[in-house]
Amino acid sequence: MSDAPVPRPRRRPAYERAVATADRLFYEQGIHAVGVDQVAAEADISKASLYTHFRTKDDLVLGYLRGRSASWQEHVSGELPGRGSTPAERVLAVFDLLGEWFDEPGYRGCPFINVEAEYGAGHPTHEVTLEHRAWVRRVFESLLAEAGDPGPEATALQLCLLYDGAMASAQAEPGRPWAAAARSAAARILGIPDARP
């Protein structure tokens, strides 16, 4: 067994600044409203450096969406195990996580729904959106199967409607308890009490 140190991943400061800046600007202002010049200027990098990492603006948008998906997946996967003692309780906890996100300053809705509204199905972003939505369905399906639901795929679709509806409603009318309402509806679908943790 070697005692050699494990090499650390090489940091790429310009790339990291570009991604962080694009994430903030695209989410706050929308994709079409933000140009690569603005991203480069606010990231304090040259356009040449930006294009070294992203050949086109579309590549930067895809990086933004993939980063959003990975971050949310990591958050949900890390939080759910401690959010309920049963699979059904963890289903409801997904809506608690949404509610916590809605309460954060600067919440502007689901980035995937927003990008779909700007680009639609004919753009490469559509595939990333579909991949993310498939992951959400799998989370619900897995928990439902563990809970003994006789039709986890069909029930997961109902829960996804609540999930998407809560996000869109919280964007349009912030301040109302959309996540709590979605959680209560999910509890009724599951036939369990909506007992708060």
Side-chain angles (χ1 to χ4, degrees), residues 18-19 22 26 36 39 50 54 56-64:
V19 169
F26 289 156
V36 291
V39 173
L50 184 67
F54 302 97
T56 66
K57 181 180 176 182
D58 281 350
D59 290 336
L60 186 58
V61 174
L62 290 171
Y64 153 66

Side-chain angles (χ1 to χ4, degrees), residues 64-156:
Y64 153 66
L65 283 182
R66 289 186 180 117
R68 283 273 166 166
S69 180
S71 177
W72 185 243
Q73 289 185 41
E74 183 179 329
H75 179 64
V76 171
S77 299
E79 287 289 324
L80 279 189
R83 294 280 184 140
S85 58
T86 68
E89 288 174 356
R90 289 192 287 278
V91 167
L92 300 187
V94 172
F95 297 97
D96 295 333
L97 293 175
L98 282 182
E100 291 165 15
W101 180 28
F102 299 166
D103 288 339
E104 290 179 7
Y107 174 76
R108 287 180 171 79
C110 172
F112 300 94
I113 293 173
N114 294 346
V115 169
E116 283 294 298
E118 289 201 61
Y119 281 124
H123 194 267
T125 54
H126 185 61
E127 286 305 313
V128 181
T129 295
L130 292 181
E131 289 167 10
H132 183 79
R133 293 175 65 80
W135 171 80
V136 173
R137 282 196 307 279
R138 285 194 303 271
V139 168
F140 284 133
E141 286 170 7
S142 175
L143 291 169
L144 289 163
E146 284 183 62
D149 188 286
E153 293 85 3
T155 306

